[in-house]
Amino acid sequence: MGELGPASGSLCTELHVRYGERDGLYLDWAITVVLRRGGLGEYLTSGATSLERRRMRRYEVSEAGIRRITYDPMRSATAEILRTLYAGDEEIIDQGYDEVMTQLSQSWNARYPEPDPHTVATFGFASLNRRPEFRASVPNLTSTLVAIDPDVAEEVWVERGNAYFDRQSRSAAVWMPDREQWRFLFTGSRANESADGEGSQPESLGVPALQSTMGMLADLVNRGSDWPEESL
């Protein structure tokens, strides 16, 4: 999941993507646009485990086809079938994911005169993760939080991580705008297994210090020469 900026007062938009992949195709996917109320200050003072969130729109593959669900706090959600699916439509399902993400990216960026770094990072990582060779090269990227260098780690890793992934193992893709480079973080049981099941020993990433940024953590953990990096 990643943030779509810029924020409007205390409201911020987030994008959550879930997909099931087979033979390089996204065959079971859901793309959800979520509205969040509050930021780090509200999180720290509220005492809650996560901030208030509500769905705005959701695109998903269902038995009826690819559908769009629109949520309204004043009335029931409404669903619209965008494309009916039939047996053997695997490539159409895969293409449908790209079409929705392209539409969201174009419509969101058209709202603002200047590119927003969070939006760039969110859609940039989604595009990068679309490449099968990239997913194969970094197999531990799962339940991934997309962030940028100056993001406060407790806000991203703890609040957003708990809100979307609860107690699951999680990872982070951190965009370093000044370097035009990605850095990756892993934690939990998934980070202790390599692709072939052999044990590896990446550093554990628990609850970060409040003043830590995602970029600082990424640089700390990725200080070895054999950690994955990706430039765009």
Side-chain angles (χ1 to χ4, degrees):
M1 65 76 51
E3 187 173 315
L4 302 179
S8 176
S10 64
L11 300 178
C12 184
T13 307
E14 297 171 337
L15 186 70
H16 178 243
V17 175
R18 175 191 59 78
Y19 68 89
E21 179 266 345
R22 188 180 70 217
D23 298 330
L25 301 178
Y26 283 14
L27 299 182
D28 176 23
W29 52 262
I31 301 167
T32 309
V33 181
V34 179
L35 187 67
R36 183 189 79 228
R37 183 181 298 276
L40 181 61
E42 290 82 357
Y43 168 65
L44 294 175
T45 58
S46 68
T49 56
S50 61
L51 295 167
E52 176 189 354
R53 287 173 168 84
R54 68 173 179 86
R55 290 179 176 179
M56 298 174 63
R57 292 191 307 280
R58 180 178 173 89
Y59 303 83
E60 64 180 17
V61 177
S62 68
E63 292 184 0
I66 297 176
R67 66 178 185 171
R68 176 176 58 210
I69 306 172
T70 304
Y71 298 88
D72 188 322
M74 305 303 294
R75 57 177 66 94
S76 300
T78 58
E80 174 188 3
I81 300 299
L82 302 178
R83 177 171 293 181
T84 303
L85 297 174
Y86 302 94
D89 279 351
E90 286 83 359
E91 291 190 1
I92 292 177
I93 296 173
D94 182 75
Q95 293 168 5
Y97 171 88
D98 286 336
E99 290 171 359
V100 170
M101 289 296 283
T102 298
Q103 174 192 353
L104 285 173
S105 175
Q106 291 176 346
S107 63
W108 196 268
N109 285 309
R111 302 181 186 186
Y112 307 102
E114 297 293 334
D116 173 78
H118 284 105
T119 306
V120 171
T122 298
F123 286 114
F125 176 75
S127 178
L128 178 66
N129 198 52
R130 219 27 195 113
R131 292 158 42 184
E133 64 272 20
F134 170 76
R135 298 197 301 273
S137 69
V138 196
N140 290 326
L141 275 178
T142 183
S143 300
T144 305
L145 299 153
V146 181
I148 62 174
D149 183 357
D151 285 341
V152 177
E154 184 157 346
E155 184 173 13
V156 176
W157 192 262
V158 180
E159 194 280 326
R160 292 182 207 168
N162 290 343
Y164 282 94
F165 306 125
D166 194 22
R167 298 183 181 276
Q168 298 179 48
S169 302
R170 66 193 63 156
S171 58
V174 185
W175 175 241
M176 315 294 249
D178 292 343
R179 309 177 203 169
E180 296 191 344
Q181 184 182 78
W182 288 100
R183 291 284 195 172
F184 304 108
L185 303 172
F186 313 92
T187 193
S189 59
R190 294 179 187 272
N192 294 323
E193 299 177 0
S194 60
D196 60 2
E198 295 291 334
S200 59
Q201 299 297 325
E203 297 190 25
S204 175
L205 187 63
V207 178
L210 179 59
Q211 59 268 45
S212 300
T213 68
M214 292 300 291
M216 291 165 60
L217 290 181
D219 277 339
L220 174 65
V221 174
N222 289 276
R223 62 180 180 265
S225 61
D226 57 343
W227 285 84
E229 298 177 6
E230 183 76 20
S231 297
L232 292 181

